[in-house]
Each structure stands twice: as C-alpha cells, then as structure tokens.
Amino acid sequence: MKRLDRLVFKSFIGPYALSFFIAEFVLVMQFLWKYIDDLVGKGLSILFLLELVFYYAVTIIPMAVPITILISSVMVYGNMAEKYEMTSFKSAGISLLRIMWPGIMIAIFTFGFSLVSSNYFKPKANLQFFKAFDNARR
C-alpha cells in the first residue's frame, strides 16, 4: 500500500463512521416519529423499545449506506482540496482516479456489505420487527 493510499484511507475512516452513525440516527428518529402514536401509553419496557429500534436499524442499513458514502467523500476530498493536497498531488503527476482509488475501494466494500445486509439481515430483522410490533400494538 502506497503512502497516498494510506493517507486517503486513514482520512476516510473517521468521516465514514461518523456519517454512517448520523445517517442511521436520522433514519431511526424518523421511525420513532412515525410510530410514536402506536408505542406511547402501552406500558412497554425500555428493553422492548430498544429491541424494536435495533431491528429497525438493521433494516435501514441499505438506505444509510449511500448517504454515508456521499457525505464522507465530500468531507474527505473537500478537506484535501481545502488544504491544497489535491493540487500538490495533481502537480506531482498523480491522476484524479488514482487519488480517488481508496475511496472507490471503500465504496465497493460497502456495496458488498449492503448487498449482504439486504439479502440476509434485512428480511430476518424485518420479520422480527413486525412480529414484535404487531404484538405490542394489541
């Protein structure tokens, strides 16, 4: 792994994790506002509500991934452009595709995780969520 790859990869990790958790949080809050009428006043325990939130958070991973990639890419490459790192890379003769290659690889691995999540985790979590949610509404 070259120094350029390590620099871009290390600068991606922080904003990537932060933007993923922010996207998950926003989408979970949307769920809570949508179903607050059905959950309040039923005498449900905190553990049961956390279980519902966890199942829903698993189901929205594929929706949070594109937002995560977009926000982290804008943050990383914008920060590199602001500090004139992109200009110095370009003046050294490094192509833009080569500079963006670690970000592209992270996006491809994220796509793989999203695909596995959509095909295996989401249906099971969706079933468990609606089974528990329907039992709570009764």
Side-chain angles (χ1 to χ4, degrees):
M1 183 185 283
K2 294 186 177 182
R3 286 186 182 178
L4 171 66
D5 295 336
R6 267 184 282 168
L7 173 76
V8 175
F9 185 74
K10 284 182 183 178
S11 60
F12 244 95
I13 295 299
Y16 181 82
L18 180 68
S19 60
F20 179 74
F21 288 120
I22 288 173
E24 280 280 325
F25 178 75
V26 167
L27 292 171
V28 165
M29 287 298 112
Q30 180 185 6
F31 152 74
L32 286 176
W33 283 114
K34 183 178 180 181
Y35 293 114
I36 196 77
D37 308 356
D38 298 332
L39 298 175
V40 171
K42 301 287 185 183
L44 303 174
S45 69
I46 298 292
L47 292 176
F48 182 75
L49 292 174
L50 289 176
E51 179 183 355
L52 283 177
V53 168
F54 172 75
Y55 287 140
Y56 190 75
V58 171
T59 61
I60 60 172
I61 287 174
M63 291 189 329
V65 166
I67 299 167
T68 301
I69 295 294
L70 177 70
I71 292 173
S72 62
S73 297
V74 167
M75 287 173 66
V76 168
Y77 294 118
N79 191 23
M80 290 174 83
E82 184 180 337
K83 294 180 180 178
Y84 297 108
E85 292 173 349
M86 293 289 257
T87 307
S88 63
F89 291 148
K90 292 296 290 176
S91 66
I94 301 172
S95 69
L96 186 61
L97 185 63
R98 177 69 182 101
I99 296 168
M100 296 180 80
W101 186 249
I104 293 169
M105 293 308 297
I106 289 173
I108 289 172
F109 286 127
T110 303
F111 161 73
F113 175 71
S114 177
L115 190 67
V116 168
S117 174
S118 291
N119 288 337
Y120 296 108
F121 301 144
K122 186 176 180 177
K124 291 179 183 178
N126 210 7
L127 175 70
Q128 293 295 327
F129 170 76
F130 281 111
K131 191 185 306 181
F133 188 69
D134 284 342
N135 286 338
R137 286 182 9 179
R138 291 182 192 169

